[in-house]
Amino acid sequence: MKDRLLGIATLTAFTAALYLAFMFAPTEATMGDVQRIFYLHVPAGITSYVAFLVVGVGSIAFLATRNAKWDRLAYCSAEVGVVFAAANIAMGMLWAKPVWGIWWTFDARLTLQLLLALIFVAYLMVGAYISDASRRAPIQAVVGILGSADVPINYLAIRIWRTQHPSPVIAGGEGSGLDADMGVTLAVAAAAVGLLYVYLLRMRLAVERTRHDVEHLEHAAAES
Amino acid sequence: MKPIAALVLKDLAIELRRKETVVSMAMFGLLVMVIFAVALQSATLATEGDPINNAAADLWVALTFAGVLGLNRSLAIDLDNDALQGLLLAPVGRGALFVGKVLSNFLFMLLAAALVLVLFVVFNNLVLDGRLLWVVLLTVLGTFGFSGVGTILAMVASNTRMREVMLPILQIVLTLPMIMSAVGATASVLGDGNPGTLFVELVVAFDIIFFVVSYLVFEYVVEE
């Protein structure tokens, strides 16, 4: 029931966000309509950071408590986070091609997001390739912690680079700021993407719990 | 023809089920591209594009790959004949095991790095002066950071079915911020004799953070 309500809320928020992004928000002065991709590009990026933060927290909590639910939370969040990071990068490319004339450049922000995604792809690979199932959770948690520790250092290392990517327009430096209508649209879109993350994470956790139960039953059946 | 087709189909069937070989090869290929691009970009940005300092990028890519080979070898010694089990049963703390392993990895890597550095000087016709002391110091710092996190990553990789490819994947992904900073510092010091405080600080910060975090989580990787 809770999931259904969450699903409906996500769908409603997305419909509203799409309406606002395409019909309500003003057309950007220099880039034109292509700028509208911003309303999903930015929330997807922010959400991927949140998802990876959850991986770090879940990994630490798992090693501290040994409760399997934290382990499930960590790697389910990593899966969803990789999807959001990939979506963020793909949308960025679609935006960069008409505006910068290129799909990709090893620019500070782009590289940072790519490295972030790759860290958690590697995290998921470790989990998938571990042969001894009973050893998977703690080892994957260790990689989750090391990966999360890497994120701020990556950020600092890349900050030294020049960037062609625009600085954050919200809470950015001087000369930043967003038109009020654009701000409303972005807020709604961010809420929609955030809800989608929570929804996907809950669905993924439910699948994982079911799998856990099935394994448990199989084990019990084999023993009896 | 028939036995050949059967053999190919057998391998295809295995790969379709496990999806290991192609995925890990592709990920490795992607990371090699990324490490070259990122290292070159770091060198270029640190020196405003002085082409001679691309040598700094070469040096660190070389040290990275040499280091990964060494780490793989060093763990293989412990895995042969289950020697690692013996070490874990010995009445010494896990912390002592970790530090000991890090130091021997560090020492081997340093010896290899010394030979690489001599050739680095010859190939790039570098003048023997104070700048080289900085390059040596940076190599020591970078190699230490590399062996600290590498020791634990080798253990992590040894728990997967794809040890030889998972180690370089994890190692490259997680040490990239250190490599970027080390390349930046090396290129800067070769350029104008000043390594850039921020770069050096980041390498040191990486060394400390990853040594401490690896030390803390080591027991979870070797537990039974």
Side-chain angles (χ1 to χ4, degrees):
Chain A
M1 190 60 206
K2 234 166 137 188
D3 281 336
R4 171 161 291 188
L5 279 177
L6 188 63
I8 293 170
T10 309
L11 191 64
T12 315
F14 248 96
T15 315
L18 288 178
Y19 174 80
L20 290 174
F22 284 112
M23 316 299 279
F24 172 73
T27 307
E28 208 268 344
T30 49
M31 288 184 269
D33 279 331
V34 68
Q35 178 270 345
R36 291 176 197 276
I37 208 165
F38 160 85
Y39 301 111
L40 285 178
H41 170 73
V42 173
I46 296 172
T47 310
S48 70
Y49 272 78
V50 174
F52 295 140
L53 187 70
V54 171
V55 178
V57 173
S59 300
I60 294 172
F62 171 72
L63 288 185
T65 64
R66 293 299 168 137
N67 187 332
K69 79 172 181 194
W70 291 115
D71 166 54
R72 286 197 293 267
L73 177 69
Y75 72 74
C76 292
S77 185
E79 280 183 13
V80 181
V82 166
V83 171
F84 277 84
N88 167 262
I89 293 172
M91 285 189 280
M93 287 176 159
L94 292 178
W95 190 359
K97 183 65 183 168
V99 174
W100 295 341
I102 42 171
W103 295 107
W104 180 261
T105 166
F106 278 94
D107 165 273
R109 275 170 206 280
L110 283 71
T111 308
L112 183 64
Q113 188 66 5
L114 177 66
L115 294 187
L116 189 75
L118 289 177
I119 288 173
F120 289 93
V121 170
Y123 165 88
L124 292 173
M125 285 173 79
V126 168
Y129 294 163
I130 284 178
S131 15
D132 181 354
S134 65
R135 307 276 299 112
R136 186 201 54 76
I139 290 175
Q140 210 178 2
V142 163
V143 178
I145 292 171
L146 291 171
S148 310
D150 220 31
V151 174
I153 310 184
N154 255 324
Y155 176 78
L156 290 173
I158 277 180
R159 209 184 50 174
I160 310 174
W161 290 14
R162 277 183 313 222
T163 180
Q164 127 177 82
H165 187 287
S167 313
V169 284
I170 309 128
E174 240 172 89
S176 72
L178 203 58
D179 174 84
D181 288 351
M182 288 183 170
V184 170
T185 309
L186 181 66
V188 173
V193 174
L195 280 170
L196 181 65
Y197 163 70
V198 177
Y199 182 69
L200 289 177
L201 183 62
R202 285 181 65 94
M203 292 288 111
R204 187 64 188 82
L205 282 169
V207 171
E208 215 42 47
R209 267 194 305 274
T210 312
R211 194 164 77 176
H212 183 80
D213 291 347
V214 169
E215 271 171 20
H216 206 72
L217 288 172
E218 277 178 350
H219 202 69
E223 272 180 1
S224 61
Chain B
M1 264 325 269
K2 225 174 154 195
I4 300 176
L7 202 64
V8 173
L9 285 176
K10 175 210 64 148
D11 283 349
L12 266 177
I14 293 175
E15 178 59 18
L16 274 176
R17 271 182 216 154
R18 306 184 105 185
K19 299 181 191 68
E20 289 174 342
T21 317
V22 176
V23 172
S24 52
M25 278 197 298
M27 179 77 172
F28 181 77
L30 174 63
L31 281 172
V32 172
M33 277 199 300
V34 169
I35 190 179
F36 272 103
V38 164
L40 280 173
Q41 187 81 338
S42 298
T44 311
L45 294 184
T47 57
E48 270 115 39
D50 184 351
I52 185 73
N53 292 324
N54 288 345
D58 292 353
L59 173 69
W60 285 95
V61 173
L63 290 177
T64 303
F65 283 101
V68 167
L69 288 182
L71 288 168
N72 232 335
R73 222 16 252 159
S74 141
L75 188 69
I77 294 169
D78 289 332
L79 293 177
D80 282 350
N81 306 321
D82 273 338
L84 185 63
Q85 286 302 323
L87 282 176
L88 292 173
L89 288 169
V92 288
R94 296 283 187 264
L97 275 184
F98 174 70
V99 176
K101 204 67 202 162
V102 171
L103 288 182
S104 65
N105 284 335
F106 177 46
L107 189 68
F108 289 165
M109 231 181 271
L110 217 49
L111 290 173
L115 294 174
V116 171
L117 270 183
V118 170
L119 293 171
F120 173 72
V121 170
V122 175
F123 288 164
N124 295 292
N125 303 301
L126 297 178
V127 190
L128 294 167
D129 59 13
R131 294 179 306 171
L132 281 181
L133 284 179
W134 266 111
V135 177
V136 170
L137 179 68
L138 283 165
T139 309
V140 172
L141 287 173
T143 310
F144 183 77
F146 212 78
S147 20
V149 68
T151 302
I152 197 162
L153 291 178
M155 290 281 187
V156 167
S158 76
N159 277 286
T160 68
R161 287 187 295 270
M162 312 286 290
R163 192 183 86 199
E164 16 358 77
V165 59
M166 273 320 285
L167 178 61
I169 287 175
L170 289 168
Q171 184 77 4
I172 294 174
V173 154
L174 288 176
T175 53
L176 259 174
M178 190 271 286
I179 295 168
M180 281 188 269
S181 318
V183 168
T186 311
S188 301
V189 82
L190 290 179
D192 59 7
N194 175 10
T197 335
L198 205 50
F199 286 128
V200 182
E201 277 172 8
L202 272 170
V203 176
V204 174
F206 180 94
D207 283 10
I208 295 172
I209 293 172
F210 274 89
F211 182 80
V212 172
V213 175
S214 303
Y215 180 88
L216 291 175
V217 296
F218 182 70
E219 58 172 306
Y220 300 107
V221 179
V222 291
E223 74 189 4
E224 282 303 302

